[in-house]
Amino acid sequence: MPPGSSRPVDNLDDDDYPAYTMGRAAEMLGATPAFLRALGEHRLITPLRSEGGHRRYSRYQLRIAARARELVDAGTAVEAACRIIILEDQLEEAQRINEELRAAQNAGTQPKSSV
């Protein structure tokens, strides 16, 4: 790389880079591949497919899957756990937007994003 050029983003530092195979992801979560497939069927996470058609998961997706695993281990059905996580995410986004709107109103400016 020429001097003065910026270092390319390392894919392994990217939370969204699909670095983990299904087997490795399941092992890291202490779950089964069937559990990960169930999360995909309920549209909680959608793994990227490799050229060979194998599922690949990112660190971000593994954090979501770990949250689902916590709920399932506590006795929540997989389908309900997926819905809970989706609703938690929607609530967090709504709270972020509300805070942004409040800050913009207090500052007398327009918000960055529209609702």
Side-chain angles (χ1 to χ4, degrees), residues 43-85:
R43 298 185 177 146
L44 181 62
I45 56 176
T46 303
L48 183 74
R49 295 287 184 146
S50 68
E51 289 181 22
H54 300 282
R55 291 173 178 90
R56 306 284 294 195
Y57 297 88
S58 68
R59 287 189 301 197
Y60 174 73
Q61 290 172 324
L62 293 183
R63 283 195 300 274
I64 293 170
R67 174 70 177 126
R69 173 84 197 273
E70 289 173 5
L71 291 169
V72 169
D73 287 350
T76 306
V78 173
E79 184 175 5
C82 291
R83 186 68 182 138
I84 288 168
I85 293 167

Coordinates of all heavy atoms in Angstrom, one line a residue, residues 43-85:
R43 N -37.4 -15.1 10.6 CA -36.9 -13.9 10.1 C -36.3 -13.0 11.1 O -36.3 -11.7 11.0 CB -38.0 -13.1 9.3 CG -38.5 -13.9 8.1 CD -39.5 -13.2 7.3 NE -39.8 -14.0 6.1 CZ -41.0 -14.0 5.6 NH1 -42.0 -13.2 6.1 NH2 -41.3 -14.8 4.6
L44 N -35.7 -13.6 12.1 CA -34.9 -12.8 13.1 C -33.6 -12.4 12.5 O -33.1 -11.2 12.6 CB -34.8 -13.5 14.4 CG -34.0 -12.7 15.5 CD1 -34.8 -11.5 15.8 CD2 -33.8 -13.6 16.7
I45 N -32.9 -13.4 11.9 CA -31.6 -13.1 11.3 C -31.6 -13.8 9.9 O -32.3 -14.8 9.7 CB -30.4 -13.6 12.1 CG1 -30.5 -15.1 12.4 CG2 -30.2 -12.8 13.3 CD1 -29.3 -15.7 13.2
T46 N -31.0 -13.2 8.9 CA -30.9 -13.8 7.6 C -29.4 -13.9 7.2 O -28.8 -12.9 6.9 CB -31.6 -12.9 6.6 OG1 -33.0 -12.7 7.0 CG2 -31.6 -13.5 5.2
P47 N -28.9 -15.1 7.4 CA -27.4 -15.2 7.1 C -27.2 -15.0 5.6 O -28.0 -15.3 4.7 CB -27.1 -16.6 7.5 CG -28.4 -17.3 7.4 CD -29.5 -16.3 7.7
L48 N -25.9 -14.6 5.3 CA -25.5 -14.5 3.9 C -25.2 -15.9 3.4 O -24.8 -16.8 4.3 CB -24.2 -13.6 3.8 CG -23.7 -13.4 2.4 CD1 -24.6 -12.4 1.7 CD2 -22.3 -12.9 2.5
R49 N -25.3 -16.2 2.2 CA -25.0 -17.5 1.6 C -23.7 -17.4 0.9 O -23.4 -16.5 0.1 CB -26.1 -18.0 0.6 CG -27.4 -18.2 1.3 CD -27.4 -19.5 2.1 NE -28.7 -19.8 2.6 CZ -29.2 -21.0 2.8 NH1 -28.4 -22.0 2.5 NH2 -30.4 -21.2 3.3
S50 N -22.8 -18.4 1.1 CA -21.5 -18.4 0.4 C -21.8 -18.8 -1.0 O -22.9 -19.2 -1.4 CB -20.6 -19.4 1.1 OG -21.1 -20.7 0.9
E51 N -20.8 -18.8 -1.8 CA -20.9 -19.2 -3.2 C -21.4 -20.7 -3.3 O -22.1 -21.0 -4.2 CB -19.6 -19.1 -4.0 CG -19.2 -17.6 -4.3 CD -18.0 -17.5 -5.0 OE1 -17.5 -18.4 -5.7 OE2 -17.4 -16.4 -4.9
G52 N -21.0 -21.5 -2.3 CA -21.5 -22.9 -2.3 C -22.8 -23.1 -1.6 O -23.3 -24.2 -1.5
G53 N -23.5 -21.9 -1.2 CA -24.8 -22.0 -0.6 C -24.8 -22.2 0.9 O -25.9 -22.4 1.5
H54 N -23.7 -22.2 1.5 CA -23.6 -22.4 3.0 C -23.9 -21.1 3.7 O -23.6 -20.0 3.3 CB -22.2 -22.9 3.4 CG -21.9 -24.2 2.8 ND1 -22.4 -25.4 3.2 CD2 -21.1 -24.5 1.7 CE1 -21.9 -26.3 2.4 NE2 -21.1 -25.8 1.5
R55 N -24.6 -21.2 4.8 CA -24.9 -20.0 5.6 C -23.7 -19.4 6.3 O -22.9 -20.2 6.9 CB -26.0 -20.4 6.7 CG -27.4 -20.7 6.1 CD -28.3 -21.2 7.3 NE -29.6 -21.5 6.8 CZ -30.0 -22.7 6.3 NH1 -29.1 -23.7 6.3 NH2 -31.2 -22.9 5.9
R56 N -23.6 -18.1 6.3 CA -22.5 -17.4 7.0 C -23.1 -16.3 7.9 O -24.0 -15.6 7.5 CB -21.5 -16.8 6.0 CG -21.0 -17.8 5.0 CD -19.9 -18.6 5.5 NE -18.8 -17.8 5.8 CZ -17.6 -18.3 6.1 NH1 -17.4 -19.6 6.0 NH2 -16.6 -17.5 6.4
Y57 N -22.6 -16.2 9.1 CA -23.2 -15.3 10.1 C -22.2 -14.2 10.5 O -21.0 -14.5 10.6 CB -23.6 -16.1 11.4 CG -24.7 -17.1 11.1 CD1 -24.4 -18.4 10.7 CD2 -26.0 -16.7 11.2 CE1 -25.4 -19.3 10.4 CE2 -27.1 -17.6 10.9 CZ -26.7 -18.9 10.5 OH -27.8 -19.7 10.2
S58 N -22.7 -13.1 10.8 CA -21.8 -12.0 11.3 C -21.8 -11.9 12.8 O -22.7 -12.5 13.5 CB -22.3 -10.6 10.7 OG -23.6 -10.3 11.3
R59 N -20.9 -11.1 13.4 CA -20.9 -11.0 14.8 C -22.2 -10.3 15.3 O -22.7 -10.7 16.4 CB -19.7 -10.1 15.3 CG -18.4 -10.9 15.2 CD -17.3 -10.2 15.8 NE -17.1 -8.9 15.2 CZ -16.0 -8.1 15.2 NH1 -15.0 -8.5 16.0 NH2 -16.0 -7.0 14.6
Y60 N -22.7 -9.4 14.5 CA -24.0 -8.7 14.9 C -25.1 -9.7 15.0 O -25.9 -9.8 15.9 CB -24.3 -7.6 13.9 CG -25.7 -7.0 14.1 CD1 -25.9 -6.1 15.1 CD2 -26.7 -7.3 13.2 CE1 -27.1 -5.5 15.3 CE2 -28.0 -6.7 13.4 CZ -28.2 -5.9 14.5 OH -29.4 -5.3 14.7
Q61 N -25.2 -10.6 14.0 CA -26.2 -11.6 14.0 C -26.0 -12.6 15.1 O -27.0 -13.1 15.7 CB -26.2 -12.4 12.6 CG -26.7 -11.6 11.5 CD -26.5 -12.3 10.1 OE1 -25.5 -13.0 9.9 NE2 -27.4 -12.1 9.2
L62 N -24.8 -12.9 15.5 CA -24.6 -13.8 16.6 C -25.0 -13.1 17.9 O -25.5 -13.8 18.8 CB -23.1 -14.2 16.7 CG -22.6 -15.1 15.5 CD1 -21.1 -15.5 15.8 CD2 -23.5 -16.3 15.4
R63 N -24.9 -11.8 18.1 CA -25.4 -11.2 19.3 C -26.9 -11.3 19.4 O -27.5 -11.5 20.4 CB -24.9 -9.7 19.3 CG -23.5 -9.5 19.7 CD -23.1 -8.1 20.1 NE -23.4 -7.2 19.0 CZ -22.5 -6.9 18.1 NH1 -21.3 -7.5 18.1 NH2 -22.7 -6.0 17.2
I64 N -27.6 -11.1 18.2 CA -29.0 -11.3 18.2 C -29.4 -12.7 18.5 O -30.3 -12.9 19.3 CB -29.6 -10.9 16.8 CG1 -29.4 -9.4 16.6 CG2 -31.1 -11.2 16.7 CD1 -29.7 -8.9 15.2
A65 N -28.7 -13.6 18.0 CA -29.0 -15.1 18.2 C -28.7 -15.4 19.7 O -29.5 -16.2 20.3 CB -28.1 -15.9 17.3
A66 N -27.7 -14.8 20.3 CA -27.4 -15.0 21.7 C -28.6 -14.5 22.6 O -28.9 -15.2 23.6 CB -26.1 -14.4 22.1
R67 N -29.1 -13.4 22.2 CA -30.3 -12.8 22.9 C -31.5 -13.8 22.8 O -32.2 -14.1 23.8 CB -30.7 -11.4 22.4 CG -31.9 -10.9 23.0 CD -31.8 -10.5 24.4 NE -33.0 -9.9 24.9 CZ -33.7 -10.3 26.0 NH1 -33.2 -11.2 26.7 NH2 -34.8 -9.7 26.3
A68 N -31.7 -14.3 21.6 CA -32.8 -15.3 21.4 C -32.5 -16.6 22.3 O -33.4 -17.1 22.9 CB -32.9 -15.7 19.9
R69 N -31.3 -17.0 22.3 CA -30.9 -18.2 23.1 C -31.2 -17.9 24.6 O -31.7 -18.8 25.3 CB -29.4 -18.5 22.9 CG -28.9 -19.6 23.8 CD -29.1 -20.9 23.2 NE -29.0 -22.0 24.2 CZ -27.8 -22.6 24.5 NH1 -26.7 -22.3 23.9 NH2 -27.8 -23.5 25.4
E70 N -30.9 -16.7 25.1 CA -31.3 -16.4 26.5 C -32.7 -16.5 26.8 O -33.1 -17.1 27.8 CB -30.9 -15.0 26.8 CG -29.4 -14.7 26.9 CD -29.1 -13.2 27.1 OE1 -30.0 -12.4 27.2 OE2 -27.9 -12.8 27.0
L71 N -33.6 -16.0 25.8 CA -35.0 -16.1 26.0 C -35.5 -17.5 25.9 O -36.4 -17.9 26.8 CB -35.7 -15.2 25.0 CG -35.5 -13.7 25.2 CD1 -36.0 -13.0 23.9 CD2 -36.2 -13.2 26.4
V72 N -35.0 -18.3 25.0 CA -35.4 -19.7 24.8 C -35.0 -20.5 26.1 O -35.8 -21.3 26.6 CB -34.9 -20.3 23.5 CG1 -35.1 -21.8 23.5 CG2 -35.5 -19.6 22.3
D73 N -33.8 -20.2 26.5 CA -33.3 -21.0 27.7 C -34.2 -20.6 29.0 O -34.3 -21.4 29.9 CB -31.8 -20.6 28.0 CG -30.9 -21.3 27.1 OD1 -31.3 -22.2 26.3 OD2 -29.7 -20.9 27.1
A74 N -34.8 -19.4 29.0 CA -35.6 -19.0 30.1 C -37.1 -19.6 29.9 O -37.9 -19.3 30.7 CB -35.7 -17.5 30.2
G75 N -37.3 -20.3 28.8 CA -38.6 -21.0 28.7 C -39.5 -20.3 27.6 O -40.7 -20.8 27.4
T76 N -39.0 -19.3 26.9 CA -39.8 -18.7 25.8 C -39.7 -19.5 24.5 O -38.6 -20.0 24.2 CB -39.3 -17.3 25.6 OG1 -39.2 -16.6 26.8 CG2 -40.1 -16.5 24.6
A77 N -40.8 -19.7 23.9 CA -40.8 -20.4 22.6 C -40.0 -19.6 21.6 O -39.9 -18.4 21.6 CB -42.2 -20.5 22.1
V78 N -39.4 -20.3 20.6 CA -38.5 -19.6 19.6 C -39.2 -18.5 18.9 O -38.7 -17.4 18.7 CB -37.9 -20.7 18.7 CG1 -37.1 -20.0 17.5 CG2 -37.0 -21.6 19.4
E79 N -40.4 -18.8 18.4 CA -41.2 -17.8 17.7 C -41.5 -16.6 18.5 O -41.3 -15.5 18.1 CB -42.5 -18.4 17.2 CG -43.3 -17.5 16.3 CD -44.6 -18.1 15.8 OE1 -44.9 -19.3 16.1 OE2 -45.3 -17.4 15.0
A80 N -41.8 -16.8 19.8 CA -42.1 -15.6 20.7 C -40.8 -14.9 21.0 O -40.8 -13.7 21.0 CB -42.7 -16.1 22.0
A81 N -39.7 -15.6 21.1 CA -38.4 -14.9 21.4 C -38.0 -14.1 20.2 O -37.6 -12.9 20.4 CB -37.3 -16.0 21.6
C82 N -38.2 -14.6 19.0 CA -37.9 -13.7 17.8 C -38.8 -12.5 17.8 O -38.3 -11.4 17.5 CB -38.1 -14.6 16.6 SG -36.9 -15.9 16.4
R83 N -40.0 -12.6 18.1 CA -40.9 -11.5 18.1 C -40.6 -10.5 19.2 O -40.6 -9.3 18.9 CB -42.4 -11.9 18.3 CG -43.4 -10.8 18.1 CD -43.5 -10.3 16.7 NE -44.4 -9.2 16.6 CZ -44.2 -8.1 15.9 NH1 -43.1 -8.0 15.2 NH2 -45.1 -7.2 15.9
I84 N -40.2 -10.9 20.3 CA -39.8 -10.1 21.4 C -38.5 -9.3 21.0 O -38.5 -8.0 21.2 CB -39.5 -10.9 22.7 CG1 -40.8 -11.4 23.3 CG2 -38.6 -10.1 23.7 CD1 -40.6 -12.5 24.4
I85 N -37.6 -9.9 20.4 CA -36.3 -9.2 20.0 C -36.6 -8.2 18.9 O -36.1 -7.1 19.0 CB -35.3 -10.2 19.5 CG1 -34.8 -11.1 20.7 CG2 -34.1 -9.5 18.9 CD1 -34.1 -12.3 20.4

